[in-house]
Amino acid sequence: MWGYGIVLADIQVTVTSEGQEPQYIDCLQKVYGLGPCIVGAFSGRVDLGFQFLGHLQKWLVIEEDRPDEWGWFPEFVAENWSTEAAAAYAGLPARALGPVEILFVATHPTENNGIPGMPKTFGYTMKAPDFVPRRIRRTEVRAIGSGNQFQQYKQAISELNAQGLTHPLHQMEANSPDGFATGLIIHISDCVEEHPVTGISKHLHLGICRHKKYKIVSNNHTRFLSDGTEEEVVMPHVAKCWSEYRQIMRDRGFGDLAVTESKC
């Protein structure tokens, strides 16, 4: 609606060691800028998530001699990278196979949403093993991973979309680019804190993609508790690559098998 796409992700992973109850750890960044106009995230096995999101990021590298206005057509990316992703997954050894799903949102480099200066936005999800792209329609709320199980969070955004421009969050965009996105992460943070569930962290990252740029922000904020005290919600240290994630988990005492099979 406002010429940019949004991806929201928490930082929690689920680790299951043999003979033990699942453990939930806040330690993983799941959303990343992939290139001009594109932001993506992953769910499923952490090692595969990093592998395939990294594959997409390399696939999107733009040659330096391209003109400034050049950018990827989102439909082209979804249709063509999905074929390569499926082939790469099929080539993995059996022991390396597992669940993985990729989500990306992008702005179109040449088409607008009917308002000059506001690009048309696209979103897709692609899931192993075939990675067939599923288009996310305008104002549709699409979730992958653990968040897909919790309807109250999706409902909070769906109700916001249903009200359209009459919702107060849209008014935050007036004279403040990304104002709606800022209001959205506050809105969802409140929802998560009011309705906590196992498997979802209160720490969130928000990815925003605009024409030729993107940014990733966290939901650091001050929470006012019912007893009158305050709680500072600050993003902890999170892994941004597989080697960093593996080290964080080893430092916490998890074995290699548990780390490899951990999911988000």
Side-chain angles (χ1 to χ4, degrees):
M1 184 176 295
W2 294 108
Y4 58 85
I6 296 172
V7 177
L8 188 67
D10 78 329
I11 65 167
Q12 196 159 107
V13 299
T14 304
V15 187
T16 304
S17 300
E18 186 176 356
Q20 298 182 13
E21 292 294 320
Q23 297 185 59
Y24 304 95
I25 313 294
D26 287 350
C27 66
L28 178 67
Q29 181 170 323
K30 306 173 189 176
V31 56
Y32 297 89
L34 303 180
C37 316
I38 301 180
V39 170
F42 66 81
S43 70
R45 254 183 42 180
V46 178
D47 59 339
L48 292 175
F50 275 125
Q51 179 178 340
F52 280 88
L53 203 65
H55 185 288
L56 176 56
Q57 189 174 42
K58 292 178 181 178
W59 195 88
L60 291 167
V61 170
I62 295 176
E63 299 174 8
E64 293 183 0
D65 59 351
R66 296 287 187 180
D68 290 342
E69 66 273 14
W70 194 90
W72 290 103
F73 284 17
E75 314 99 304
F76 178 89
V77 174
E79 292 172 5
N80 289 274
W81 180 77
S82 61
T83 302
E84 293 195 22
Y89 189 86
L92 293 174
R95 66 179 182 280
L97 299 178
V100 60
E101 188 167 6
I102 301 296
L103 178 152
F104 79 82
V105 298
T107 55
H108 201 284
T110 60
E111 298 180 6
N112 62 47
N113 63 6
I115 303 175
M118 291 191 176
K120 183 181 291 185
T121 56
F122 290 75
Y124 292 90
T125 57
M126 291 166 282
K127 187 176 183 178
D130 50 24
F131 289 89
V132 172
R134 295 178 57 224
R135 173 81 181 272
I136 303 172
R137 300 300 173 184
R138 184 174 178 270
T139 74
E140 178 187 355
V141 180
R142 178 80 59 81
I144 61 175
S146 300
N148 198 38
Q149 305 175 37
F150 306 114
Q151 294 300 316
Q152 62 264 47
Y153 301 154
K154 295 170 66 176
Q155 185 65 27
I157 302 177
S158 296
E159 291 175 354
L160 184 157
N161 285 336
Q163 294 183 43
L165 292 175
T166 63
H167 195 284
L169 287 188
H170 287 289
Q171 299 173 19
M172 296 180 68
E173 195 72 24
N175 300 317
S176 178
D178 301 337
F180 170 76
T182 301
L184 178 64
I185 196 169
I186 295 172
H187 180 65
I188 298 303
S189 296
D190 289 344
C191 182
V192 170
E193 290 171 357
E194 291 172 6
H195 306 283
V197 294
T198 301
I200 299 293
S201 172
K202 64 183 177 182
H203 300 288
L204 308 173
H205 284 115
L206 181 75
I208 303 171
C209 66
R210 286 186 172 273
H211 182 58
K212 304 299 292 182
K213 61 182 180 181
Y214 66 83
K215 66 179 180 181
I216 310 295
V217 299
S218 60
N219 70 330
N220 293 342
H221 62 283
T222 301
R223 182 185 180 196
F224 297 95
L225 306 178
S226 58
D227 61 3
T229 60
E230 299 179 3
E231 176 190 5
E232 294 296 327
V233 179
V234 179
M235 182 66 64
H237 175 66
V238 292
K240 298 181 181 179
C241 64
W242 171 244
S243 60
E244 188 176 6
Y245 173 74
R246 186 169 52 186
Q247 187 60 54
I248 288 174
M249 299 304 282
R250 284 175 173 172
D251 290 345
R252 290 175 174 264
F254 292 103
D256 287 346
L257 180 60
V259 174
T260 300
E261 295 185 347
S262 57
K263 298 179 178 66
C264 63

